[in-house]
Amino acid sequence: MVQRTVQIFPPFERFYHWAQVVLVILMTYTGFRLYGIHEWMAYDQAVLWHTYSALLLMLLWVFAIFWHLTTGTWRHYVPTTDGLIHVMRFYSFGIFKGEDHPYRKVYWRKHNPLQSMAYLALKVLVFPLIWITGIAYLTYRLWEPAAGSGFWIEIVGNLHVLAAFGILSFIVMHLYLMTTGHSIWHHIKPMFNGYDVVDLTPAEEAYLEQDEPGRIKPAE
């Protein structure tokens, strides 16, 4: 294996990431207003912005799912227990002792085992929950006449808030990990220019240099 600087975050993935950041921040801010945590904007405006942001985010997710499936990027999220214990130990103890991260990025697995599991849980559990409850809440007038709708809308609302706080917890942890180890810029730079240092097999290195030279920087 050899370490090379490779573009592992293509343009659409970077666009998807930052567009999602903006929309989630906007939804969090307006969601807090709807939940009564602040009153820094009019309630009806918060409803409008929250709804439009949610619809744009769902549209973005649809495109992102299609992109992940057609490009094979979904492989990065396949869970594995290989090295999981070492990564968990690092985040529990080693990170506070200044130890080096036990995981080294490779071409087809840019996320460590713990990241893969966290992202997968977010995408297959939390995101669908907030989708379903959000759509159910948005279309409440259509099923309001049904028996027990008042009870079910309360359940839907609580589940939606629970999923929202799940996403918020993930964001807080994400931001915290950006402050550990290297500088914050070192962590976020790949999401701006797409490049990061990864381990390549000789076959992967030869393939990139011959077929996709724009994705690999010259060896120093």
Side-chain angles (χ1 to χ4, degrees):
M1 302 288 281
V2 61
Q3 285 194 332
R4 295 290 299 273
T5 302
V6 180
Q7 186 190 68
I8 60 172
F9 297 107
F12 176 78
E13 190 168 7
R14 283 175 275 149
F15 165 76
Y16 160 66
H17 176 270
W18 291 114
Q20 186 173 235
V21 167
V22 172
L23 290 172
V24 168
I25 290 175
L26 184 56
M27 291 181 64
T28 301
Y29 179 78
T30 54
F32 280 162
R33 173 63 182 98
L34 300 179
Y35 201 61
I37 294 179
H38 71 78
E39 296 183 358
W40 297 335
M41 69 184 305
Y43 188 88
D44 57 343
Q45 288 183 334
V47 171
L48 188 65
W49 281 101
H50 195 79
T51 301
Y52 284 155
S53 299
L55 293 175
L56 284 174
L57 185 58
M58 285 192 288
L59 182 63
L60 180 65
W61 282 342
V62 169
F63 278 105
I65 290 171
F66 175 79
W67 180 82
H68 278 88
L69 294 176
T70 55
T71 61
T73 313
W74 58 269
R75 294 186 181 92
H76 293 285
Y77 303 96
V78 176
T80 177
T81 57
D82 185 20
L84 178 61
I85 298 300
H86 298 294
V87 173
M88 292 178 66
R89 181 198 171 279
F90 170 76
Y91 284 123
S92 300
F93 305 102
I95 195 172
F96 302 109
K97 298 179 180 179
E99 296 179 5
D100 293 330
H101 200 295
Y103 183 76
R104 294 175 66 178
K105 294 180 181 179
V106 293
Y107 183 57
W108 273 113
R109 184 167 284 276
K110 58 194 175 189
H111 303 308
N112 67 56
L114 196 59
Q115 281 179 310
S116 296
M117 290 187 176
Y119 283 126
L120 185 65
L122 195 71
K123 292 175 183 293
V124 303
L125 296 176
V126 181
F127 281 178
L129 178 60
I130 207 163
W131 273 37
I132 294 169
T133 55
I135 293 173
Y137 210 93
L138 190 62
T139 59
Y140 175 62
R141 294 301 181 189
L142 298 178
W143 55 277
E144 183 181 13
S149 61
F151 168 78
W152 287 111
I153 192 60
E154 186 174 349
I155 297 296
V156 166
N158 288 333
L159 288 176
H160 191 73
V161 171
L162 179 65
F165 275 104
I167 294 175
L168 184 60
S169 298
F170 174 83
I171 293 172
V172 171
M173 184 59 67
H174 200 59
L175 293 173
Y176 163 70
L177 291 177
M178 284 170 50
T179 66
T180 62
H182 300 283
S183 66
I184 294 178
W185 174 242
H186 175 86
H187 288 295
I188 66 174
K189 184 179 178 181
M191 291 311 302
F192 281 102
N193 63 16
Y195 288 89
D196 204 354
V197 177
V198 300
D199 284 352
L200 298 176
T201 64
E204 290 171 340
E205 184 180 26
Y207 162 75
L208 288 170
E209 288 183 335
Q210 179 175 344
D211 297 330
E212 297 188 66
R215 290 190 60 191
I216 184 170
K217 289 187 175 181
E220 297 180 356

